[in-house]
Amino acid sequence: MSAPHGPASGAPVGLLSPRAWWARRPPEAGAAVLATGMISVGLQLTGHAVLSWIALALTCGAWVVLAAGFAVRPARERARWTAEAGTPGALTAVAATAVLGTRLSGLGRHRLAEVLLALAAACWPVLLVGVVRHWRRRGMPGAVFLGSVVTETLAVLGATLARAVPAAWLAHAALVLFWLGLVLYGFALAGFDRRQLLEGAGDQWVAGGALAVSALAGARLLIADGGRLYLWNDDDHGVLRAVTVALLVLCLAWFVVLAVAEAVRPRPRYDVLRWSTVFPLAMAAVAALDVATAVGIPWLGDLGRVLVWVAVAAWLSVLVGAVRSRAGDRGGVRSRERR
């Protein structure tokens, strides 16, 4: 199930016209929108308003382009759209929509966030079922965890809006999605090819990122409780708190393993799947910040602030690689990752 992301002719990417580049854009490119949106959320939480607004503007612009392609391609290239809709990379567009809604809700744009939640929720089951049907029992790349990621991003947005609106039913729906996301993670882990830790082109980091967004969803559900909403009894609150903290710990443990694997076998060449390295880092940063607030562990907030800048540095590094690739400095870039 391997497919190159570069031009079929092997021509340098820099020689392609913008129209040709757009035509060859892989579904995994949605991870760039997802990464930028999460960085905007992290910068907002750490008080860097101007940088957060810049990241948000980039996210909105890229999301519009992504949504336009998602809407237009079925009419122009139905066969290709159908094939790509069955790949895990297609789920990044839905996850990016939910993350954008989460950021907009943080600005008080709750109605717009609700529209994005409805849009993401409508696309989620259709794409998820198509992706799950193509899962194998073993030998899957890191993108297999995107089923869990997209489900948990819906839970994050649902929990965020539940507190802002407020709406208890939305919080309970988000709780169902939270547990479903963990179930999907278990299935994905069973099929994940461990060799991807040393061979993956970037999306192996989603193995940790899925746990990060799960911890973020748990934190948002805890934060939604109280104020005008009383959602969980003491037992429920205790279980949710313990699971949320455990998810963050497991996420950080994954990141240690992934970082060591990168050091043992460096993969410096740019690949579009490197955006799937950036967004897990950003998710971990936001998760640490929110878990610190939800469970009252101050040092997690310090960790989150550090991780925000790690994610920003990774974002800039991958962006430079993408620009160089587009200019043809590397003579054309292909992904060796299986889809």
Side-chain angles (χ1 to χ4, degrees):
M1 294 181 66
S2 62
H5 296 306
S9 65
V13 177
L15 299 180
L16 295 174
S17 67
R19 181 177 179 180
W21 172 85
W22 172 254
R24 300 176 189 277
R25 178 189 57 84
E28 291 85 355
V33 186
L34 178 55
T36 311
M38 286 305 302
I39 284 175
S40 178
V41 174
L43 290 170
Q44 179 234 348
L45 291 175
T46 52
H48 302 282
V50 174
L51 292 176
S52 179
W53 272 102
I54 292 172
L56 176 59
L58 292 172
T59 303
C60 290
W63 183 87
V64 169
V65 173
L66 190 68
F70 194 84
V72 171
R73 184 164 284 174
R76 295 185 175 181
E77 301 177 87
R78 176 170 292 275
R80 178 181 174 184
W81 186 90
T82 302
E84 290 184 344
T87 65
L91 296 173
T92 59
V94 182
T97 301
V99 166
L100 178 58
T102 300
R103 178 66 182 94
L104 291 174
S105 181
L107 294 173
R109 305 288 185 178
H110 305 309
R111 293 295 183 188
L112 185 52
E114 288 171 356
V115 171
L116 291 174
L117 175 59
L119 179 60
C123 296
W124 165 69
V126 178
L127 293 177
L128 183 61
V129 169
V131 169
V132 171
R133 287 175 61 186
H134 291 87
W135 277 7
R136 298 189 301 269
R137 290 187 178 181
R138 57 180 61 88
M140 293 291 287
V144 70
F145 293 101
L146 286 171
S148 175
V149 168
V150 69
T151 305
E152 296 291 358
T153 56
L154 289 173
V156 170
L157 178 52
T160 301
L161 284 171
R163 178 175 176 82
V165 174
W169 71 268
L170 195 52
H172 289 110
L175 181 64
V176 172
L177 290 170
F178 169 74
W179 292 115
L180 176 58
L182 295 183
V183 171
L184 289 171
Y185 187 91
F187 282 112
L189 183 62
F192 177 56
D193 184 356
R194 306 303 193 275
R195 292 174 297 181
Q196 291 297 299
L197 295 174
L198 295 174
E199 299 172 2
D203 66 345
Q204 70 274 15
W205 284 78
V206 186
L211 292 175
V213 70
S214 299
L216 175 58
R220 291 286 167 113
L221 286 166
L222 289 169
I223 293 170
D225 195 20
R228 290 177 288 174
L229 290 179
Y230 296 94
L231 300 170
W232 328 119
N233 59 35
D234 289 343
D235 290 339
D236 292 337
H237 188 278
V239 169
L240 187 56
R241 185 183 189 278
V243 171
T244 298
V245 173
L247 287 169
L248 184 60
V249 171
L250 289 173
C251 161
L252 297 175
W254 254 122
F255 281 5
V256 171
V257 173
L258 289 160
V260 170
E262 293 274 4
V264 170
R265 185 171 295 180
R267 283 145 277 180
R269 186 180 182 185
Y270 170 75
D271 191 293
V272 69
L273 293 178
R274 270 303 175 193
W275 289 111
S276 293
T277 299
V278 180
F279 82 72
L281 293 171
M283 284 176 171
V286 176
L289 291 166
D290 269 30
V291 172
T293 300
V295 305
I297 304 178
W299 67 265
L300 284 177
D302 297 331
L303 175 62
R305 283 183 281 274
V306 172
L307 287 175
V308 166
W309 293 112
V310 172
V312 169
W315 185 90
L316 290 171
S317 176
V318 176
L319 179 64
V320 169
V323 170
R324 287 180 175 176
S325 170
R326 179 70 180 88
D329 289 352
R330 295 183 183 272
V333 178
R334 296 170 180 257
S335 171
R336 298 183 302 276
E337 189 65 85
R338 289 168 291 176
R339 293 171 61 186

